[in-house]
Amino acid sequence: KTFFPIEAGNAPSNPTSFFATAPIEATFNELSNPWGPHSNGLILDNLLVGVSLAPMYSDVFNMVKTKEGYVTIDALHRVLGASGLTAGMIEKILAITLPYGESNIDRKAFDVILVLVALAQKNMEVSLESIVSHKQDLPIPLLPRLSNPAGATDSNVEPTDKITSISRPSPASHSSEALHLLDDKDLISVQISLQKGGVIFKHVNYILESKQHLSSVTRRYKDFWWLLEILTKRYPSRMLPTLPPKKIGGDKTFLERRRKGLSRFINFIARHPVLKNDNITVAFLTEPTSMEAYRKLNTVDVEEEFSKIEVTDQIKAAVPHDLEEKLRKLRERLDASVEYYTNQCLLMERIAKRQEGSSEDMEHYSRILVALGESPCHDSGCLECPQIISGLNTVADSFIRVSAIMKEAVDSSVSGVVDHLRRQKEIVLAFKELLDRKEKLISSGTETLASRIKANQGKIDQLRGSNGPTKEIQRLTEVVSQDRKELHDAKERDIFIQYCLWRELQFYHQNTTFVTKLYQQYVTDQIRFTTVLNQAWKDLSPTVWSLPEYNTNTIYP
């Protein structure tokens, strides 16, 4: 049994629990909790199928999209802010189209949002049904105040807005480079290509960029599979990474998880002291043509590593005499370690989801505050209500700032911890699988060979003593010679396997220190974000304490 059997996203629906899925308020649509499933994605995907939109829709999307082809929530809010619509109307559009926990918007959903903006600007009904009714004459949104919102989505440009101007790490803040553990190792970036391959049956392509090789190549999932197959045959006595699962037609969430899994897979290989230097690994990272074309032009041998290695006295001396005892002790702990890392990943994911949900709620709350202030007071001579509305707008701005800080904390800190915990879990699994292969790798026929050599040598001695047939003596001599060579090679191979196990144990042990660096960086990040968050609340304090208060001495007629 796992320590926490409830998976993130499958929380209980008890209305009194923290994970309650009851609507917050019907006025703002049915906003389910940030851990629950959402069904409007398919509706948005198919809503504008077959509709010819004005070029302006493409122009705006291309202006604000990221290099992965999505629009971030920050960029979306800037686009909506340029529309001139009231905060209440923007809130309504987001309530219709934007599910909780969504951090990126694809092209189809973005087009629907722009259509709703255009409908609102024309004083038409703002709803999905209205889009269906006006499919043939959809209006064009007006965004006169839109100016370079893409700059806010570029991860290489530091933001200037006060909301996100906290000192934040680069997107790879939790990479091995930032943690100073494997500074001399290659780091491979894996991104999903916007261009899908295939003519009839489409497949996902991945762009791999290597810092060490200064290369950028395109690979398919089956290429990763082929690479693992070759390395498994060549290096059976080495730790080998695990591939993420294959799935036909996975959704965006699945594809992103698999992208991260492929990134961990190839970076495991790139950091391994032996696998990284294999000629197939180098070709996989540098060959500009497809791997299918490479395989047609090159003969790929799958000879085991031992066949190309001379077992020297230095190799023999390097293997400690108590290696088996060391491996036995470690083997006893591996199953528990796998479960511990599994639970850590699950719990940290739940922490991240809760923080994402809180960030979304803070932002949602701020929009409601602004919308609340758009209704004028019934008393035209009231002096307090304008002050309150101004103060509430300041509170709303601060809530947006707090929301952004919380989101940054999740994106650059908590999510990075989850991914690297998975990396550690996969390293444990890789060593566990190596020990499982160990018994099959170690030769079990050496005693049989030695007995056969002894028996045949006895026959040779007997035949020579009795002047037996020369041909039979020669045949047995050749058999004994061949068996001795085979026995020698088997013993040498066993020694080399023991050497490889010792080296892999050292590599495994070295990687355990990565956890120390990981948590050092995580704690540093949390201190930094907490400091910025504390300052945001302090900055808001003078405003809320200067708001008009209820006067008990006021007498109403």
Side-chain angles (χ1 to χ4, degrees), residues 521-542:
Q521 185 67 43
Y522 176 68
V523 171
T524 301
D525 284 346
Q526 294 309 302
I527 293 172
R528 178 165 55 86
F529 284 119
T530 301
T531 302
V532 176
L533 195 61
N534 183 53
Q535 187 60 48
W537 290 120
K538 283 185 176 181
D539 293 344
L540 179 60
S541 180

Side-chain angles (χ1 to χ4, degrees), residues 459-476:
K459 291 179 181 179
I460 292 173
D461 294 340
Q462 185 178 3
L463 288 172
R464 284 174 177 170
S466 59
N467 295 322
T470 304
K471 288 185 177 181
E472 180 63 14
I473 294 175
Q474 290 177 346
R475 186 188 70 80
L476 289 174

Side-chain angles (χ1 to χ4, degrees), residues 262 318 417 473 487:
L262 292 175
V417 171
I473 294 175
L487 179 61

Side-chain angles (χ1 to χ4, degrees), residues 184-188 210-215 270 276-277:
D184 60 332
K185 303 298 187 291
D186 200 359
L187 182 68
I188 313 299
S210 169
K211 286 187 176 183
Q212 179 177 324
H213 297 288
L214 299 178
S215 60
K276 70 173 184 177
N277 296 320

Side-chain angles (χ1 to χ4, degrees), residues 18-29:
F18 181 76
F19 295 92
T21 57
I24 298 175
E25 189 175 337
T27 309
F28 292 94
N29 203 358

Side-chain angles (χ1 to χ4, degrees), residues 196-203 220:
K196 290 190 174 182
V199 179
I200 299 177
F201 300 103
K202 298 293 184 181
H203 59 261
R220 296 179 56 180

Side-chain angles (χ1 to χ4, degrees), residues 330-398:
L330 178 60
R331 183 67 178 86
E332 292 175 351
R333 304 196 309 267
L334 289 181
D335 288 334
S337 296
V338 171
E339 185 168 357
Y340 292 152
Y341 278 118
T342 299
N343 288 328
Q344 287 180 70
C345 290
L346 174 60
L347 289 171
M348 194 59 75
E349 278 187 320
R350 291 173 63 175
I351 291 171
K353 287 295 183 183
R354 289 189 179 110
Q355 291 186 3
E356 286 176 1
S358 297
S359 174
E360 292 287 337
D361 285 343
M362 291 289 286
E363 187 173 341
H364 183 195
Y365 197 95
S366 70
R367 295 196 299 267
I368 296 174
L369 276 179
V370 175
L372 179 66
E374 291 175 344
S375 301
C377 179
H378 68 282
D379 185 356
S380 59
C382 177
L383 299 178
E384 293 182 343
C385 284
Q387 297 179 44
I388 293 176
I389 290 173
S390 176
L392 291 181
N393 285 334
T394 302
V395 173
D397 289 341
S398 295

